[in-house]
């Protein structure tokens, strides 16, 4: 296997594993919303706002759930994922991510695997295993460790925002995004995998997100908005479905970036499920920083 391919695959995995975690939670770090303040034009759907505040509280305190979903970003990524996550103290959980298409998925498949990756999220780090063929390029070790602090340092201020986003990832973030948007409506009742659910929809206008509506400080928010602007994101549509217990059962997000259109769907079930995540043995782990150093030193090798 080409050493450059190993490096590209490891980098692609870092990006898409973070994307996968973010897709579980919703966009940004929306803080306390001000539903009575809406952009000019149109009346606030106060009944929907009141209902969503209850959903945010119930979903946010549920602490854990089983998830299943898909994500696509232009020609770069197409994946599906399933597993369990816990957000009682930062994001922890175990997911199986299968890359079904896109250039990043192809980069991973060139390592000799089938496109499936096991990921374990812990509070300040996450681990990924890409199969035997990739492990053979890592001295027989199965897992790559990615430290969120290291990735934040590589990404500068925008990376710091990403680290904070990982620490605060919860399914309620999609609800918060709708509340912060000032543009939300109740669509009606629909069936979601056999569960009767209420459908809410709204549009998040990135240009109207302000520090007073965010848990980010001014510097982080500025970096986050700069990152969104660089990706070409201006607005995105968020849809959520809520069951009779005021718990989120489905969320979709759609929009456009410089890399192309994105479309994510996540289903939630089994709230309160036990989530046990073990750190892989040190003897079976290599740090991504070391992979970068090794592959950088072998950049001219084939």
């Amino acid at each position: 296997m080409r050493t450059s391919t190993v490096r590209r695959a490891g980098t692609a995995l870092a990006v898409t594993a973070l994307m996968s975690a973010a897709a579980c939670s919703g966009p940004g770090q929306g803080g306390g919303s001000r539903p009575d303040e809406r952009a000019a034009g149109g009346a606030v759907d106060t009944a929907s706002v009141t209902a969503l505040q209850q959903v945010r509280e119930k979903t946010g305190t549920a602490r854990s759930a089983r998830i299943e979903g898909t994500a696509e970003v232009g020609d770069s990524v197409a994946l599906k994922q399933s597993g369990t996550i816990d957000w009682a103290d930062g994001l922890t959980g175990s997911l199986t991510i299968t890359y079904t298409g896109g250039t990043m998925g192809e980069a991973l498949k060139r390592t000799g695997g089938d496109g499936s990756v096991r990921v374990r999220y812990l509070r300040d780090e996450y681990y990924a295993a890409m199969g035997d063929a990739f492990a053979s390029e890592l001295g027989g070790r199965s897992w790559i460790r990615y430290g969120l602090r290291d990735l934040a340092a590589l990404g500068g201020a925008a990376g710091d925002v990403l680290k904070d986003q990982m620490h605060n990832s919860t399914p309620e973030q999609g609800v918060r995004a709708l509340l912060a948007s000032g543009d939300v409506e109740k669509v009606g009742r629909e069936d979601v995998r056999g569960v009767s659910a209420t459908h809410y929809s709204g549009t998040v206008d990135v240009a109207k997100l302000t520090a007073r509506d965010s848990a980010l400080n001014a510097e982080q928010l500025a970096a986050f908005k700069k990152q969104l602007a660089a990706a070409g994101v201006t607005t995105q549509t968020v849809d959520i479905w809520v069951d009779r217990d005021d718990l989120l059962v489905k969320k979709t997000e759609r929009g456009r970036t410089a890399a192309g259109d994105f479309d994510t769907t996540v289903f939630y079930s089994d709230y309160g499920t036990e989530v046990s995540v073990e750190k892989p043995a040190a003897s079976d782990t290599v740090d991504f920083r070391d992979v970068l150093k090794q592959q950088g030193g072998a950049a001219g090798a084939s």
Side-chain angles (χ1 to χ4, degrees):
M1 185 189 306
R2 293 175 59 90
T3 54
S4 58
T5 299
V6 174
R7 183 177 184 179
R8 286 197 301 271
T11 303
L13 182 61
V15 173
T16 51
L18 286 172
M19 177 193 302
S20 179
C24 299
S25 63
Q29 294 295 324
S33 62
R34 289 168 172 75
D36 56 327
E37 298 179 4
R38 181 174 177 172
V44 175
D45 184 349
T46 55
S48 292
V49 167
T50 300
L52 288 178
Q53 287 173 328
Q54 177 69 10
V55 172
R56 181 180 63 178
E57 180 179 352
K58 290 288 292 293
T59 300
T61 57
R63 300 303 188 187
S64 65
R66 185 173 303 280
I67 70 164
E68 181 180 343
T70 60
E72 296 183 5
V73 181
D75 296 328
S76 300
V77 177
L79 62 82
K80 59 182 180 180
Q81 60 181 341
S82 62
T84 56
I85 57 172
D86 186 301
W87 54 93
D89 182 21
L91 177 70
T92 61
S94 298
L95 296 178
T96 297
I97 303 172
T98 301
Y99 297 84
T100 56
T103 55
M104 288 186 180
E106 290 303 316
L108 292 173
K109 288 182 179 180
R110 283 197 293 272
T111 65
D114 61 0
S116 293
V117 179
R118 291 177 293 149
V119 180
R120 296 181 185 177
Y121 296 101
L122 287 89
R123 197 182 192 292
D124 295 306
E125 59 191 357
Y126 66 95
Y127 296 79
M130 290 176 273
D132 295 340
F134 198 84
S136 68
E137 298 295 323
L138 302 174
R141 288 169 287 183
S142 301
W143 296 88
I144 298 182
R145 174 192 176 273
Y146 297 89
L148 297 186
R149 180 176 298 177
D150 299 329
L151 292 175
L154 288 173
D160 191 46
V161 171
L162 183 57
K163 177 170 69 70
D164 287 345
Q165 191 171 16
M166 284 286 290
H167 279 161
N168 295 283
S169 290
T170 72
E172 66 163 333
Q173 296 299 334
V175 183
R176 288 186 174 187
L178 284 180
L179 286 171
S181 73
D183 175 21
V184 59
E185 65 172 332
K186 180 179 178 180
V187 178
R189 296 199 67 82
E190 300 173 9
D191 181 89
V192 177
R193 295 186 167 182
V195 175
S196 179
T198 303
H199 179 188
Y200 297 92
S201 181
T203 299
V204 178
D205 189 332
V206 176
K208 295 177 182 176
L209 296 179
T210 62
R212 66 178 181 177
D213 292 324
S214 175
L216 301 177
N217 61 39
E219 181 181 359
Q220 290 174 328
L221 183 63
F224 182 54
K225 292 178 73 172
K226 182 178 180 181
Q227 183 183 28
L228 291 175
V233 176
T234 55
T235 61
Q236 58 186 6
T237 301
V238 180
D239 289 80
I240 65 170
W241 288 259
V242 181
D243 68 11
R244 288 193 175 93
D245 295 322
D246 292 326
L247 293 172
L248 198 65
V249 294
K250 179 182 177 182
K251 173 176 65 68
T252 67
E253 295 174 280
R254 298 175 305 282
R256 176 165 293 181
T257 71
D261 294 344
F262 68 87
D263 190 333
T264 68
T265 299
V266 182
F267 294 92
Y268 303 92
S269 62
D270 297 335
Y271 280 95
T273 189
E274 182 177 352
V275 178
S276 178
V277 185
E278 293 185 4
K279 181 182 295 189
S283 60
D284 197 26
T285 301
V286 61
D287 196 288
F288 184 59
R289 294 173 301 178
D290 296 330
V291 173
L292 289 178
K293 291 176 183 177
Q294 294 169 6
Q295 302 306 328
S302 61

